[in-house]
Amino acid sequence: MSATRPEPRTRRRTVSEGTGTARRAEILAIAAQLFATRGFPQTTVRDIGDEAGILSGSLYHHFDSKEAMLAEILRDFMENLRGRFAEVVAQDRPPRARLDELVRGSFATIHQQPHAVALYQKESGALAGVPEFRFVGQISLEIEKMWVGVIVAGQQVGDFRTGLDPELTYRFIRDAVWTSVQWYRPRGRLRHDVVADQYLLLLHGGLLAGDTDPA
């Protein structure tokens, strides 16, 4: 999964003098953008400090290492995503409505957190065997089970084609949706909800059960 295209160079930002929590959030936002656009290995602590307008050594008052920043960015992103999806799955609505909402929620996340999405796509595979990042695989698996569960429920009530493998269907949808971070622009011609509508039109044409559904 690929990162977003590098953004035009902008004026360096100065981290505010607010609370420690606010400063950490600002630094993490800067780090996420640099990691996503330049690549994690290519981004140094000095790069982050320069972009934030503070000495690189000052970053160590907030974070132990560049890896600690990456872990916090990914953990916050993935835990929030898991919570968002869990709320949708728990709704008392038909499977088709819940699947549609999962897709819409994914595009909303891409709109709201493009750098975190791009960073997860680019780095998650390389982090699979690193103990400090074990949570990445664990949460990814939990999210997959939620989506697959909705797809299976839809097959059971006749909403979705029974001849489709649920896990393969999930991966098809996942890859089609999340790779859009490569080209989607929050200020572009199409809003994220319009893009979601277009994807759902395509998805429904091949997923909904019909008269030709195999036994």
Side-chain angles (χ1 to χ4, degrees):
M1 304 166 76
S2 303
T4 54
R5 291 174 293 185
E7 296 181 352
R9 187 70 174 174
T10 57
R11 179 175 59 85
R12 289 177 179 176
R13 290 161 283 186
T14 300
V15 174
S16 69
E17 297 298 325
T19 65
T21 300
R23 285 197 295 270
R24 283 176 64 88
E26 290 179 59
I27 293 170
L28 286 175
I30 291 169
Q33 179 177 354
L34 293 179
F35 291 159
T37 56
R38 297 184 184 180
F40 176 72
Q42 291 76 27
T43 303
T44 66
V45 172
R46 182 173 181 175
D47 292 332
I48 299 169
D50 286 348
E51 191 71 19
I54 60 177
L55 295 175
S56 57
S58 299
L59 291 176
Y60 292 106
H61 293 298
H62 302 281
F63 305 97
D64 293 334
S65 64
K66 183 177 74 168
E67 289 73 18
M69 291 185 228
L70 177 63
E72 188 161 339
I73 293 166
L74 290 177
R75 186 180 294 277
D76 288 348
F77 165 68
M78 298 195 69
E79 288 182 347
N80 288 334
L81 188 64
R82 176 177 58 187
R84 184 174 203 161
F85 288 158
E87 289 180 2
V88 174
V89 171
Q91 293 174 357
D92 185 20
R93 302 174 66 192
R96 174 177 172 175
R98 284 183 285 154
L99 184 62
D100 286 2
E101 188 61 29
L102 289 173
V103 172
R104 295 184 189 280
S106 298
F107 279 107
T109 299
I110 292 171
H111 176 77
Q112 296 157 359
Q113 298 178 275
H115 296 125
V117 172
L119 181 57
Y120 167 75
Q121 292 189 30
K122 185 173 183 179
E123 303 296 342
S124 58
L127 299 173
V130 181
E132 293 82 356
F133 291 89
R134 189 174 293 115
F135 69 89
V136 174
Q138 293 173 339
I139 297 178
S140 295
L141 183 58
E142 291 178 33
I143 289 173
E144 177 175 347
K145 288 180 178 178
M146 292 183 202
W147 282 68
V148 171
V150 172
I151 293 169
V152 170
Q155 290 177 324
Q156 292 173 342
V157 300
D159 281 350
F160 306 148
R161 296 182 185 274
T162 57
L164 294 173
D165 180 89
E167 293 183 359
L168 182 61
T169 301
Y170 162 70
R171 290 168 186 159
F172 171 83
I173 299 171
R174 177 197 64 190
D175 292 349
V177 170
W178 292 107
T179 55
S180 68
V181 74
Q182 298 176 34
W183 55 261
Y184 175 75
R185 295 292 173 265
R187 296 181 180 86
R189 181 174 63 87
L190 297 176
R191 286 175 48 87
H192 67 89
D193 51 349
V194 174
V195 177
D197 286 341
Q198 291 291 301
Y199 268 60
L200 288 171
L201 284 174
L202 292 169
L203 181 62
H204 291 167
L207 182 61
L208 296 184
D211 295 337
T212 59
D213 193 33

